[in-house]
Amino acid sequence: MKNKKGLCFITMGTMMLLASLFLVFLNFRQDRESSENASEILTELKEAIPDTTAVQTTEFIEPATYNDIFQEYEESTTVPEEKTIRIDDNYYIGTILIPSLDVELPIISEWSYPNLKLSPCRYKGSISEGNLIIASHNYRSHFGRIQELNSGDIIVITDTDGISHNYEVVQSEIIDGYNIESMEFGSDDSWDLTLFTCTLSGQSRVTVRAIEIK
């Protein structure tokens, strides 16, 4: 009887180990595929974003007409929340660069679970309003290492007009996954930029706060 129980425990342990290894392998494969897809999109997106570093002249130049990769907005007296660029079936608000982590990725305008597998997504807010929140998968090629960011590290968001917005990291914290209010605002609602991703267990959120450097 004891031998049978021991064999049963060994079998269960082996199955659990194999399941864990399978999940690690699956995550690694998804990470690699996502990294490759995001890299291709990033290249195409950067080609579509105007180069604001070009030498400016005093000669007046008529604004270029947006082609069909740009989202069309209905005429209105209000300014759109964020100008986007369309690539394939998604709209992008720009790119995010985290120099200290050697990470540069496109930012999808609207978040969804399928979108998160492609690249970071705008969860809420906007660049223009100074309350942008970006969610991303915990792939190492995405936000899997943002817990390594320190106060003073720089994050650069480049919008679809080619304007770079520089942010300085001021705080990093782990927040319960169900505490949405704390994740969005924390103890202070003055953050200009928030990045977050799931911990490996999926129960909590690694959350990084940053303020824009004017």
Side-chain angles (χ1 to χ4, degrees):
M1 182 64 71
K2 289 183 178 180
N3 289 338
K4 289 184 178 180
K5 287 185 177 179
L7 181 61
C8 181
F9 285 133
I10 291 173
T11 302
M12 290 177 61
T14 301
M15 292 178 63
M16 291 176 65
L17 178 60
L18 290 175
S20 298
L21 290 174
F22 174 75
L23 290 175
V24 169
F25 171 77
L26 182 62
N27 185 269
F28 176 78
R29 189 180 69 178
Q30 290 177 339
D31 188 349
R32 185 181 61 185
E33 292 176 351
S34 179
S35 177
E36 292 173 353
N37 291 334
S39 180
E40 293 176 2
I41 294 169
L42 180 66
T43 298
E44 190 171 348
L45 182 59
K46 291 174 76 171
E47 289 176 354
I49 293 175
D51 182 8
T52 59
T53 62
V55 177
Q56 301 295 316
T57 67
T58 56
E59 179 184 0
F60 178 76
I61 301 175
E62 289 290 340
T65 301
Y66 294 140
N67 58 31
D68 60 358
I69 65 171
F70 284 86
Q71 180 181 19
E72 295 181 0
Y73 293 97
E74 295 182 358
E75 291 187 2
S76 149
T77 56
T78 60
V79 179
E81 179 183 309
E82 215 80 84
K83 187 184 294 181
T84 60
I85 293 176
R86 181 179 178 180
I87 297 178
D88 297 328
D89 295 326
N90 288 305
Y91 293 89
Y92 296 82
I93 63 170
T95 66
I96 179 170
L97 170 65
I98 310 177
S100 63
L101 301 182
D102 193 25
V103 168
E104 186 175 17
L105 296 161
I107 307 169
I108 298 179
S109 178
E110 295 184 4
W111 87 276
S112 68
Y113 290 110
N115 284 351
L116 286 174
K117 291 186 177 182
L118 296 175
S119 72
C121 303
R122 174 173 58 176
Y123 175 79
K124 193 174 182 180
S126 69
I127 301 170
S128 57
E129 294 178 355
N131 58 358
L132 181 62
I133 301 176
I134 301 176
S136 183
H137 235 309
N138 59 9
Y139 299 144
R140 284 186 61 82
S141 60
H142 287 192
F143 282 6
R145 296 192 295 131
I146 62 171
Q147 73 275 7
E148 299 174 16
L149 290 172
N150 299 308
S151 295
D153 284 346
I154 299 300
I155 300 169
V156 182
I157 304 289
T158 301
D159 64 26
T160 53
D161 286 321
I163 300 173
S164 294
H165 303 262
N166 297 314
Y167 301 85
E168 181 179 343
V169 173
V170 294
Q171 183 179 322
S172 179
E173 56 187 329
I174 304 294
I175 296 175
D176 182 83
Y178 296 100
N179 195 342
I180 303 299
E181 184 175 356
S182 291
M183 190 279 295
E184 292 183 354
F185 303 108
S187 59
D188 189 334
D189 62 358
S190 64
W191 315 116
D192 298 310
L193 175 67
T194 295
L195 312 182
F196 78 93
T197 189
C198 295
T199 56
L200 292 177
S201 68
Q203 301 300 309
S204 303
R205 305 287 181 264
V206 179
T207 308
V208 173
R209 316 287 191 183
I211 56 174
E212 187 168 5
I213 305 170
K214 303 295 185 178

